[in-house]
């Protein structure tokens, strides 16, 4: 329970000992699923409110309560509906739209479910879709770091959400199957594109725009990371990736020469940019990929960027 004395004790620790860097790592833990519901700078889920400016709009006591007791104050526009349908199905989610004909609710995975008004047997409103007790798996120090991190997000400094066009939404392929080993770059490009059986998973950049080095395994492992861009004006497009050590790049299925500024020529429309990364040959961070417009070149944006 979070009574006034406990809240005061923890908030004192947030100021004295809270570390936003460690707090961001807590926020990114897949077991807590914060990122599967909340986005920062377009990176993350769409079920809960976007947290890009949370450090400027919320006080620390509110942040602490939001994590420990999510249903105490449910943010406006995030009312949870509990629906039982005439066929006995139970659906819980955030009300998106309601009309005399139908109710649209967003489930915890982010899918919008349309329920016809005639199919609703019972409906009640209440609580937050954010699970209770997420703090129970955290030590006090981790909770304190997490609150400190959120209190800095969006403020000037290392946790401001910049408008630099950096890739924030990724898919990662960890521990690629044996079938992709030993292929040359052209075959590999085709296999990665065509093989629907590969277990790509969602991954997101940190607020600063980079992917940390230690989240996908240990050297000498190989991981693949891919992101999507939309080319608005066709032409040459540049990607600044810091260092090309241990990196191979594909635009769609075509190999591209990796360089600090990697360039390729792309047609208008959607394209995927894929990186093969040798963890053992990368120093920190694992990857940060910024779009650069080249003189006389094309124009593009990451699909994660807000329009
Ligand atoms: C299943 C989805 C889900 C998960 C997982 C989740 N949240 Fe939430 N969160 C929500 C929803 C929905 C709301 C809005 C309703 C409310 O105020 O409780 C919310 C509200 C919040 C708020 C208040 C935001 C505001 O603008 O008022 C904060 C802060 C927050 N969550 C942080 C976290 C953190 C940190 C984690 C991980 C420990 C987390 N959430 C995990 C869905 C989720």
């Amino acid at each position: 329970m979070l009574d006034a004395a406990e809240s005061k004790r923890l908030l004192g620790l947030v100021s004295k000992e809270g570390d936003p860097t460690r707090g961001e790592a807590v926020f990114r833990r897949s077991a807590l699923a914060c990122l599967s519901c909340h986005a920062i700078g377009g990176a993350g889920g769409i079920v809960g409110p976007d947290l890009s400016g949370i450090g400027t709009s919320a006080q620390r006591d509110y942040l602490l309560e939001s994590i420990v007791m999510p249903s105490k104050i449910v943010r406006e526009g995030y009312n949870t509906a509990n629906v039982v349908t005439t066929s006995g199905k139970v659906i819980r989610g955030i009300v998106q739209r309601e009309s005399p004909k139908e109710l649209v609710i967003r489930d915890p995975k982010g899918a919008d479910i349309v329920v016809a008004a005639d199919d609703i047997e019972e409906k009640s409103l209440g609580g937050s879709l954010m699970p209770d007790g997420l703090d129970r798996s955290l030590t006090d120090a981790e909770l304190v770091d997490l609150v400190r991190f959120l209190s800095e997000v969006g403020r000037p400094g290392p946790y401001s959400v910049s408008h630099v066009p950096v890739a924030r939404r990724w898919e990662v392929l960890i521990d690629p199957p044996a079938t992709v080993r030993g292929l040359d770059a052209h075959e590999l490009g085709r296999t990665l594109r065509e093989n629907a059986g590969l277990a790509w998973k969602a991954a997101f950049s940190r607020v600063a725009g980079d992917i940390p080095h230690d989240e996908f395994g240990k050297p000498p492992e190989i991981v693949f990371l891919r992101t999507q861009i939309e080319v608005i004006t066709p032409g040459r497009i540049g990607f600044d990736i810091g260092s090309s050590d241990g990196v191979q790049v594909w635009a769609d299925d075509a190999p591209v020469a990796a360089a600090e500024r990697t360039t390729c020529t792309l047609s208008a429309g959607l394209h995927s940019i894929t990186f093969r990364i040798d963890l053992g040959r990368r120093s920190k961070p694992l990857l940060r990929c910024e779009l650069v417009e080249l003189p006389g070149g094309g124009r593009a944006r990451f699909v994660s960027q807000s329009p």
Side-chain angles (χ1 to χ4, degrees):
M1 233 357 250
L2 190 69
D3 56 28
E6 178 65 353
S7 170
K8 191 164 169 222
R9 183 181 74 84
L10 289 169
L11 290 169
L13 291 175
V14 172
S15 308
K16 277 209 302 276
E17 292 165 19
D19 179 301
T21 308
R22 289 195 307 250
E24 183 170 26
V26 174
F27 183 77
R28 294 174 60 81
R29 274 188 206 159
S30 51
L32 290 175
C34 312
L35 266 175
S36 65
C37 288
H38 294 283
I40 300 178
I46 52 165
V47 175
D50 183 288
L51 299 179
S52 300
I54 194 73
T56 59
S57 62
Q59 302 290 327
R60 289 176 177 178
D61 55 347
Y62 176 83
L63 294 173
L64 180 62
E65 278 196 346
S66 297
I67 299 166
V68 178
M69 301 185 289
S71 289
K72 191 174 164 200
I73 313 169
V74 175
R75 196 171 133 161
E76 209 187 315
Y78 289 87
N79 278 320
T80 302
N82 302 288
V83 172
V84 183
T85 65
T86 46
S87 57
K89 234 166 101 186
V90 179
I91 307 168
R92 185 168 150 79
I94 295 166
V95 179
Q96 300 295 303
R97 288 191 302 282
E98 193 166 13
S99 74
K101 269 175 49 198
E102 61 186 31
L103 173 69
V104 181
I105 55 186
R106 180 164 294 167
D107 77 3
K109 293 209 164 77
D112 286 350
I113 299 169
V114 181
V115 195
D118 290 345
D119 293 344
I120 298 175
E121 176 83 42
E122 252 180 71
K123 188 185 106 183
S124 62
L125 286 177
S128 172
L129 200 60
M130 177 160 158
D132 268 322
L134 283 174
D135 60 301
R136 262 178 252 139
S137 64
L138 301 177
T139 63
D140 275 5
E142 288 168 330
L143 178 59
V144 158
D145 289 340
L146 178 59
V147 171
R148 181 61 182 259
F149 163 66
L150 292 170
S151 76
E152 310 254 335
V153 172
R155 289 181 176 275
Y159 301 96
S160 70
V161 181
S162 81
H163 293 288
V164 171
V166 62
R168 294 185 179 275
R169 291 184 93 91
W170 298 90
E171 285 177 296
V172 62
L173 180 62
I174 304 167
D175 199 9
T179 44
V180 310
R181 299 206 186 110
L183 299 178
D184 74 26
H186 290 272
E187 292 165 334
L188 189 52
R190 273 196 300 277
T191 306
L192 289 173
R193 196 172 161 79
E194 284 161 16
N195 193 335
L198 295 173
W200 293 93
K201 287 200 308 198
F204 303 103
S205 297
R206 288 198 293 198
V207 178
D210 62 310
I211 298 253
H213 196 279
D214 52 2
E215 289 186 0
F216 304 134
K218 296 211 156 34
E221 274 170 45
I222 303 291
V223 298
F224 288 88
L225 276 163
R226 75 177 175 202
T227 191
Q228 273 215 316
I229 65 165
E230 183 186 5
V231 174
I232 298 140
T233 312
R236 273 195 103 57
I237 309 280
F239 301 94
D240 279 358
I241 57 169
S243 140
S244 61
D245 291 348
V247 173
Q248 266 182 287
V249 189
W250 289 261
D252 301 320
D253 53 8
V256 172
E260 257 176 59
R261 175 164 293 175
T262 299
T263 62
C264 54
T265 302
L266 295 172
S267 59
L270 290 178
H271 296 277
S272 67
I273 308 296
T274 304
F275 298 86
R276 176 191 186 274
I277 298 174
D278 181 340
L279 293 185
R281 291 184 51 212
R282 293 295 284 177
S283 49
K284 291 173 184 174
L286 191 59
L287 190 64
R288 182 179 191 285
C289 175
E290 187 177 324
L291 250 176
V292 276
E293 289 189 1
L294 306 171
R299 277 182 51 231
R301 61 176 198 98
F302 288 111
V303 170
S304 61
Q305 276 171 251
S306 32

